[in-house]
Amino acid sequence: MALFSRRTRTAAPAPQGAVATLDVDPALAALTGDYAIDPAHSSIGFTVRHAMVTNVRGSFARHEGTLHLDGADPSRSTASIDVEIASVDTGIADRDAHLRSGDFFDAEAFPKMTFRSTSAAAVGGDTYRVTGELTIKDVTRPLSIDLEFAGSATDVYGNERVGFEGSAEILRSDWGLTWNAALEAGGVMVSDKVKLTFDISAIKQA
């Protein structure tokens, strides 16, 4: 089921003088509203190449955000996410401490990473592209995230939920994250390219 798509059905021509109207799927229209991201059932993560031979994966344990979904018009949908940098977790305490340091995120001076959407559009099927501004440290740059609608349901507590899965790729150097170390055999310790991943479960508020 496409979340935001306007659905039309083939119909006979309208009588002369009648105003044409768009037939919106009631199931999609019912999803319109404001949602809060549920951090206990959501994940914001990243994957980066390490030493040219393997991938390191991590996530941010603490984050919050809101969505406004418009089931009839995707361009009116919005997203806002705040991530606590100090909650970075790669499974290795020393590595996490290095990421929080001035070599990378400088979490003490810049405690949050934020995303604020500026536009949204249907790409096709259940996929939607949310474009906005990603701020890391003191740098704000545009970012587009492709999200796939994973479904909607009412949970056992009566909460109306929607789910999305998506990803985006960035060059960390664009946000001033330039620390690296050269390898003896050539190449560098940490790749510039980083894949961001989003698994979002959000609860309808109104």
Side-chain angles (χ1 to χ4, degrees):
M1 177 179 70
L3 174 59
F4 298 129
S5 301
R6 295 175 183 265
R7 294 190 175 184
T8 58
R9 299 185 180 92
T10 303
Q16 186 174 2
V19 177
T21 59
L22 189 64
D23 186 10
V24 177
D25 188 330
L28 304 184
L31 297 179
T32 297
D34 296 319
Y35 293 76
I37 293 175
D38 177 8
H41 298 93
S42 301
S43 174
I44 297 176
F46 59 89
T47 303
V48 62
R49 198 75 169 164
H50 177 260
M52 310 294 289
V53 297
T54 191
N55 290 319
V56 168
R57 292 174 174 83
S59 63
F60 296 92
R62 295 190 297 275
H63 52 82
E64 61 183 13
T66 58
L67 308 174
H68 174 74
L69 306 183
D70 191 312
D73 184 353
S75 68
R76 299 178 63 182
S77 298
T78 60
S80 176
I81 301 174
D82 294 314
V83 175
E84 291 188 31
I85 293 298
S87 71
V88 65
D89 182 8
T90 65
I92 303 295
D94 287 346
R95 182 165 58 205
D96 296 343
H98 192 196
L99 289 172
R100 289 191 291 266
S101 76
D103 282 346
F104 285 96
F105 289 111
D106 195 358
E108 186 173 346
F110 305 98
K112 288 190 176 182
M113 172 172 60
T114 65
F115 177 80
R116 301 289 184 266
S117 69
T118 55
S119 65
V123 176
D126 288 333
T127 302
Y128 303 87
R129 180 165 296 143
V130 178
T131 298
E133 295 183 335
L134 176 66
T135 300
I136 304 175
K137 299 175 77 170
D138 56 352
V139 179
T140 299
R141 294 181 61 87
L143 175 69
S144 291
I145 306 170
D146 284 351
L147 294 167
E148 182 178 354
F149 176 53
S152 63
T154 300
D155 66 22
V156 295
Y157 303 105
N159 298 312
E160 296 181 53
R161 291 180 179 268
V162 293
F164 294 90
E165 300 174 2
S167 63
E169 287 189 350
I170 66 171
L171 298 179
R172 61 188 178 90
S173 59
D174 287 344
W175 279 266
L177 303 175
T178 57
W179 182 91
N180 228 321
L183 301 174
E184 285 188 16
V188 292
M189 181 69 72
V190 185
S191 68
D192 193 18
K193 182 187 295 184
V194 179
K195 182 179 180 180
L196 304 176
T197 56
F198 304 86
D199 287 286
I200 302 297
S201 178
I203 298 172
K204 194 171 188 179
Q205 307 296 296

